[in-house]
Amino acid sequence: GKRAGRPEPLSFSARSCWIMAPPRIAVLLAVACPLLSAVTTAASSVAASAHHRPAAPAGSGGSRLGLALLETGHVREQVDGRSRRRRRRRSRRRRSRAEDIRSGDSVFFRVARTGKRLTAEADGDLHADLNHTGDRQQFVIEEETGSSGAIVDGDKVFLTVGTGNVITVEQETVHAKWDHRGSWQMLTVSRKAGPGHLATGDSIFLRGHLGKYIDADAPGSDGRVQARFKDEGAWQELVVEAVEPRTTTATTTTTTTTTTTTTTTTT
């Protein structure tokens, strides 16, 4: 046997809670031991199940959902971009109509609000004081890449006047004093009706490199042509009209051959 007077180790078994203690303490321990045993067993079970539970695969749950959303947004953005490019290509490939404005055509620009037309003087001054349809009111519209196809909404163009100079936006001033073809001369066509080919009779807006639109013959401007506001309003609205008959610019090379005949007389 057991050595007399030596208590057994404390056990939190639900079966036995034997300890050498005074009666009152023994009663308390007798009640507490089963409760401690139950708590200990439950905690051990939870810890064991947590230890042996397989880890969730990487990218699962919330992480996988977030990644899927990011990938979906990226794919949608790519698809939208391709769709816009396809629509623009289809618009360009569409068969040109007789009234379509093509790169190289000569056109007039009529101020929608007053009926007067843009006029370029020999000194490069640009105004809208007259409603004439003469040489000074004609502009050759050319797509920036040199394409000979129809002009469409969103195209960047150059406008050349009779002197060979190009319409230039210099801050808020618009003139035709230089023959440069740079960013200051580049104008973006915006159709009032939206995407599509530019046709005679269309209302358009011309946007300069600073994002401001050309306005002409605005109230109090005395026919001046300027680029002051980033608005597409009545002051900026121009009606494009093809010069009839169509005069598309073309380069023609003529070769002249001269034949000289020499006659020799023998005496």
Side-chain angles (χ1 to χ4, degrees), residues 28 71 97 132 147 192 195-196 198 207 209 214 220 222 245 252:
L28 293 175
E71 291 178 347
R97 304 166 298 177
H132 301 172
S147 169
K192 186 177 182 180
L198 183 63
R207 185 174 71 249
H209 66 287
I214 289 179
D222 298 325
T252 303

Side-chain angles (χ1 to χ4, degrees), residues 29-103:
L29 290 176
V31 176
C33 281
L35 294 178
L36 290 175
S37 178
V39 171
T40 303
T41 302
S44 299
S45 300
V46 172
S49 62
H51 178 72
H52 294 291
R53 184 183 298 123
S60 64
S63 300
R64 179 177 296 174
L65 177 59
L67 180 59
L69 290 175
L70 287 176
E71 291 178 347
T72 302
H74 180 63
V75 171
R76 184 181 296 114
E77 182 179 354
Q78 289 182 329
V79 171
D80 291 344
R82 287 196 295 268
S83 299
R84 285 193 295 269
R85 289 193 293 272
R86 282 197 295 268
R87 285 196 298 269
R88 187 173 178 85
R89 286 196 296 268
R90 284 198 297 268
S91 177
R92 284 191 176 280
R93 287 196 300 265
R94 185 171 60 85
R95 181 179 300 173
S96 295
R97 304 166 298 177
E99 63 270 24
D100 285 347
I101 303 297
R102 301 179 65 84
S103 180

Side-chain angles (χ1 to χ4, degrees), residues 51-262:
H51 178 72
H52 294 291
R53 184 183 298 123
S60 64
S63 300
R64 179 177 296 174
L65 177 59
L67 180 59
L69 290 175
L70 287 176
E71 291 178 347
T72 302
H74 180 63
V75 171
R76 184 181 296 114
E77 182 179 354
Q78 289 182 329
V79 171
D80 291 344
R82 287 196 295 268
S83 299
R84 285 193 295 269
R85 289 193 293 272
R86 282 197 295 268
R87 285 196 298 269
R88 187 173 178 85
R89 286 196 296 268
R90 284 198 297 268
S91 177
R92 284 191 176 280
R93 287 196 300 265
R94 185 171 60 85
R95 181 179 300 173
S96 295
R97 304 166 298 177
E99 63 270 24
D100 285 347
I101 303 297
R102 301 179 65 84
S103 180
D105 279 352
S106 292
V107 296
F108 302 116
F109 291 105
R110 175 167 50 85
V111 180
R113 194 180 61 84
T114 63
K116 297 179 180 179
R117 290 179 175 84
L118 300 191
T119 301
E121 300 293 352
D123 62 357
D125 182 43
L126 196 66
H127 63 81
D129 286 330
L130 308 172
N131 60 1
H132 301 172
T133 55
D135 292 342
R136 292 182 297 166
Q137 286 76 38
Q138 293 186 26
F139 300 84
V140 177
I141 184 169
E142 299 171 277
E143 209 266 337
E144 62 148 340
T145 62
S147 169
S148 60
I151 302 295
V152 301
D153 175 68
D155 272 352
K156 298 182 187 302
V157 300
F158 298 113
L159 300 178
T160 306
V161 303
T163 62
N165 290 340
V166 184
I167 297 299
T168 300
V169 177
E170 187 179 4
Q171 297 299 325
E172 294 184 353
T173 302
V174 183
H175 61 79
K177 297 180 180 180
W178 304 327
D179 61 357
H180 304 168
R181 287 176 175 256
S183 60
W184 290 14
Q185 288 75 34
M186 196 178 297
L187 300 171
T188 302
V189 176
S190 176
R191 291 180 74 241
K192 186 177 182 180
H197 284 205
L198 183 63
T200 185
D202 278 353
S203 290
I204 66 169
F205 307 97
L206 296 174
R207 185 174 71 249
H209 66 287
L210 296 176
K212 298 179 180 179
Y213 292 83
I214 289 179
D215 64 82
D217 198 27
S221 69
D222 298 325
R224 283 183 293 175
V225 178
Q226 304 171 89
R228 300 176 292 173
F229 310 109
K230 296 182 178 181
D231 300 327
E232 291 186 351
W235 294 9
Q236 292 79 24
E237 185 176 347
L238 300 170
V239 179
V240 61
E241 303 167 314
V243 175
E244 299 295 348
R246 294 297 180 92
T247 54
T248 301
T249 57
T251 302
T252 303
T253 303
T254 304
T255 303
T256 303
T257 303
T258 303
T259 303
T260 304
T261 303
T262 303

